[in-house]
Amino acid sequence: MARDDNPPADDPFLLLGRLDGRLQGSTSADIFLARSRLEGASALCGLAGVPIAVRDLQDWIAGRTPPPRSSEGLNDPISVAAIFHIALSRDEDLSDPLARATLNALRSVLDDRAEAETYATSDLAHFGPLWRQVQAAADAPFPTGDLLSVADRIFELAASTEPAPTSGWDVVSLDGRTLNLPPRGRDRNWLLAVAVPRMLYRAGFTTRVIPSFILLPKYLPPSPAELARLMVQAIGRTAQTGLRELASLERAAARIQLDLQATKRSKAPLLARLQLSYPGLQPAAVARLLKVTPQGARKLLASASSASRPVLI
């Protein structure tokens, strides 16, 4: 799975390189990374067995709803709040200033740490130590800069985080038979997937962590070679989608100044850019993000609602 020196135009690694390169100079890279973080979290929730849409996360961030699925019963294997918190914690120590800025902006609107403590205390206790183990192993140097090395690392992590076997439950049936039911384990593949964007960065495939590159299937295939093949396909799909979304964001951002007809000192264009990532922001969040008074935030939101808004294609 080494990278080809002369790849075709639709080569997954070429598409990944184009996306990574465009993000270096794009004026909409901050918006893209913010949305990519939500898309990655949505994909992780699907792997963990609690499927949600990006819109569900945006509603939670905007304060319109509690964490997705928090009121749907007690059968979910893990809380969305725990997954979101662990996904965000992956980027806490990155040296990339843009990644830190977008993470700080998000946490100014929604404190994922407090939300996880409220809604997912037991999940944090269960998965927290495992995540620290996965994160440390993901940051270790790779022997070679190919995708097979990444796949090998994922299989090593899967083996090291496998829970120790425990005894099952003895159940007596109505006719007197004794049955031993195996304990119900909690899937850990999503936890490995959290680290995949960071591993791609550490292995040299990207120049910054792109959070939407989750890549893993719900269940690992039989071998690292097969996993590497599946990841190549996922890289192509995700990079192609990312290039389209970045182009759409750039067109939308370019229209903001024209549509709003704002002065240079106005914060309305900045608010419009924020709303591309987090639609439905409440006045309190706008006031914190833009460093204006609550009254000023309400006026900005009112002016934004009356103006024509950029629409993503």
Side-chain angles (χ1 to χ4, degrees):
M1 288 297 172
R3 284 165 281 189
D4 195 339
D5 291 335
N6 296 291
D10 60 348
D11 180 84
F13 295 117
L14 179 60
L15 293 172
L16 176 60
R18 285 177 57 198
L19 175 61
D20 186 62
R22 284 188 59 184
L23 285 173
Q24 296 305 311
S26 175
T27 57
S28 299
D30 57 335
I31 306 173
F32 178 89
L33 289 177
R35 292 176 65 94
S36 176
R37 190 170 278 122
L38 302 188
E39 289 161 4
S42 174
L44 290 171
C45 288
L47 292 179
V50 285
I52 58 167
V54 170
R55 184 71 188 189
D56 298 324
L57 291 173
Q58 290 173 330
D59 288 342
W60 177 29
I61 291 168
R64 290 191 291 266
T65 65
R69 302 181 69 98
S70 62
S71 60
E72 294 183 14
L74 302 177
N75 293 326
D76 282 349
I78 184 173
S79 166
V80 171
I83 298 172
F84 194 54
H85 169 61
I86 290 175
L88 294 191
S89 70
R90 175 196 57 214
D91 302 338
E92 286 178 336
D93 63 344
L94 291 177
S95 58
D96 180 2
L98 189 60
R100 289 204 312 271
T102 56
L103 178 59
N104 291 339
L106 173 54
R107 283 181 161 170
S108 296
V109 181
L110 177 78
D111 188 344
D112 58 286
R113 294 155 292 194
E115 293 285 290
E117 287 290 342
T118 300
Y119 292 98
T121 304
S122 62
D123 291 329
L124 292 182
H126 183 82
F127 288 105
L130 283 173
W131 164 242
R132 288 189 287 274
Q133 179 183 343
V134 169
Q135 187 175 29
D139 282 340
F142 287 90
T144 57
D146 58 24
L147 206 58
L148 186 57
S149 292
V150 176
D152 284 334
R153 180 71 52 82
I154 291 170
F155 267 75
E156 292 169 6
L157 286 171
S160 67
T161 59
E162 186 69 25
T166 57
S167 59
W169 295 90
D170 289 329
V171 178
V172 178
S173 64
L174 292 175
D175 59 4
R177 292 178 299 165
T178 301
L179 305 175
N180 184 266
L181 300 180
R184 183 178 179 180
R186 287 194 274 188
D187 185 43
R188 287 166 168 74
N189 280 1
W190 70 269
L191 199 66
L192 308 180
V194 176
V196 169
R198 191 168 177 127
M199 284 193 273
L200 291 178
Y201 165 68
R202 297 295 187 192
F205 286 94
T206 60
T207 57
R208 62 164 32 113
V209 172
I210 306 177
S212 54
F213 279 81
I214 299 304
L215 305 184
L216 294 192
K218 186 170 180 60
Y219 302 105
L220 291 181
S223 69
E226 177 64 16
L227 176 61
R229 186 186 67 80
L230 294 176
M231 292 175 72
V232 169
Q233 297 174 353
I235 284 174
R237 291 193 302 269
T238 308
Q240 208 160 39
T241 300
L243 285 166
R244 287 196 299 267
E245 182 171 7
L246 180 58
S248 181
L249 286 169
E250 288 170 341
R251 290 193 297 270
R255 290 197 297 266
I256 287 174
Q257 194 73 36
L258 292 175
D259 290 347
L260 292 177
Q261 297 179 349
T263 65
K264 289 184 179 180
R265 296 182 59 187
S266 174
K267 296 194 176 185
L270 182 54
L271 172 61
R273 289 175 62 88
L274 287 169
Q275 288 180 317
L276 287 175
S277 300
Y278 312 122
L281 286 174
Q282 302 300 302
V286 173
R288 289 195 300 271
L289 285 167
L290 301 184
K291 294 180 174 57
V292 297
T293 64
Q295 182 180 7
R298 285 191 290 271
K299 288 182 179 179
L300 280 171
L301 287 168
S303 66
S305 63
S306 62
S308 59
R309 292 181 179 177
V311 178
L312 291 180
I313 298 174

